[in-house]
Amino acid sequence: MTFPTAQTPPEDCTTMDEVRAEIDRLDRILVTLLAERQRYIEAAGRIKPRADEVRLPWRIEDVVAKVLAEARAQGLSEKIAEPVWRELIDRSIDHEHEVWDRHRSAAAEKSS
């Protein structure tokens, strides 16, 4: 997967049009990555055998810890990273529950 590179690095931006164009470019990249992440969430919903395995507090904290370590390494404010990822995780868990329910309902219909 290749992504378009910046036309104007942040330190070279002199107009808001340049800043906005680069933010729009990054948003398109983020959407692509989030869609890929969602597909893995959907795979988890298909694979996990029990509903109580969808929300695992230890895994949530593991993901957040890894994200915060990477945020520090990349210069991303932890005040941005942590709440964004906690919300992403919560929404992902909700979506995974929906996928889990749909998958189990479809399997039950096939077996009856």
Side-chain angles (χ1 to χ4, degrees), residues 36-108:
E36 180 179 2
R37 188 182 194 282
Q38 178 181 302
R39 289 190 296 275
Y40 285 103
I41 295 299
E42 291 165 351
R46 176 178 44 83
I47 293 167
K48 289 181 181 175
R50 296 189 325 266
D52 65 353
E53 294 178 354
V54 174
R55 177 179 290 278
L56 298 171
W58 69 265
R59 177 60 178 149
I60 293 168
E61 295 311 314
D62 179 56
V63 170
V64 170
K66 290 173 184 173
V67 164
L68 292 177
E70 187 63 20
R72 285 188 291 275
Q74 297 296 329
L76 174 61
S77 168
E78 291 181 33
K79 290 180 180 180
I80 294 172
E82 185 166 1
V84 167
W85 255 267
R86 287 195 184 277
E87 183 70 20
L88 175 61
I89 291 166
D90 282 346
R91 299 297 175 138
S92 295
I93 289 169
D94 290 346
H95 184 67
E96 186 178 335
H97 270 294
E98 292 171 6
V99 169
W100 193 93
D101 288 341
R102 269 197 319 269
H103 185 71
R104 296 309 171 286
S105 294

Side-chain angles (χ1 to χ4, degrees), residues 18-37:
E18 290 170 324
V19 170
R20 289 181 182 120
E22 295 303 333
I23 289 173
D24 291 347
R25 176 187 62 81
L26 290 168
D27 285 344
R28 288 189 300 276
I29 293 169
L30 288 170
V31 167
T32 300
L33 293 172
L34 288 170
E36 180 179 2
R37 188 182 194 282

